[in-house]
Amino acid sequence: MLEDIDHVGIAVSDLDASVERYRKAFGVEPVHRETVEHQGVEEVLFKVGTSYVQLLRALGPDTPVGRFLERRGEGVHHVGYRVTDIRAALTRLRDEGLPLVDEEPRPGSRGTTVAFVHPIGLDGVLIELVQEP
Ligand code: CO
């Protein structure tokens, strides 16, 4: 069911500064930048193998990432797993009794379809299922 790690999402307070830090530290260039209004974030992606590192800025304090930054500070926010059939994956997790953030898949960045699974059922880590277009 889990095909690959799609991305690791990292919450940051100053996106441009963090992007610059990654460029200088690792000699990598961003491959994608996108604002996802309905998720309240702006993201920048760096490709690492078949996966991405995703730097996330909150569009405001009253957003999921804004509240995370307020509560926990900068750091790893979620892990995205690539799946081939997101509906089947959601059904399975629901049947396993895991609390879902998203009962239905919804649009993510890069034209993907995504759904979040609550950290309470998975060792405190917010999980995002990602199906590529
Ligand atoms: Co994500």
Side-chain angles (χ1 to χ4, degrees):
M1 173 179 141
L2 303 178
E3 300 291 327
D4 205 345
I5 291 181
D6 185 80
H7 62 275
V8 176
I10 300 172
V12 302
S13 46
D14 184 336
L15 185 58
D16 287 331
S18 294
V19 168
E20 198 50 35
R21 205 146 39 234
Y22 266 70
R23 290 181 72 239
K24 283 180 89 168
F26 301 116
V28 290
E29 293 298 326
V31 294
H32 187 76
R33 185 172 191 131
E34 182 172 345
T35 298
V36 187
E37 291 282 349
H38 63 272
Q39 287 182 11
V41 295
E42 184 181 9
E43 68 172 47
V44 168
L45 298 177
F46 293 95
K47 192 114 172 104
V48 182
T50 55
S51 310
Y52 299 97
V53 171
Q54 177 188 63
L55 302 181
L56 289 167
R57 170 180 86 85
L59 295 181
D62 196 25
T63 60
V65 172
R67 286 188 289 271
F68 177 91
L69 284 168
E70 173 68 33
R71 208 172 55 242
R72 313 250 302 249
E74 293 181 301
V76 173
H77 178 261
H78 67 276
V79 176
Y81 290 117
R82 205 169 290 147
V83 298
T84 46
D85 185 342
I86 196 167
R87 287 193 178 275
L90 271 182
T91 299
R92 182 201 167 99
L93 296 176
R94 190 183 293 114
D95 289 349
E96 290 294 324
L98 292 179
L100 306 178
V101 175
D102 297 310
E103 292 291 332
E104 287 290 319
R106 57 182 165 125
S109 67
R110 294 179 290 124
T112 58
T113 304
V114 304
F116 283 91
V117 184
H118 203 284
I120 204 162
L122 291 166
D123 311 293
V125 178
L126 177 65
I127 296 298
E128 180 181 15
L129 304 173
V130 182
Q131 183 178 319
E132 294 194 304

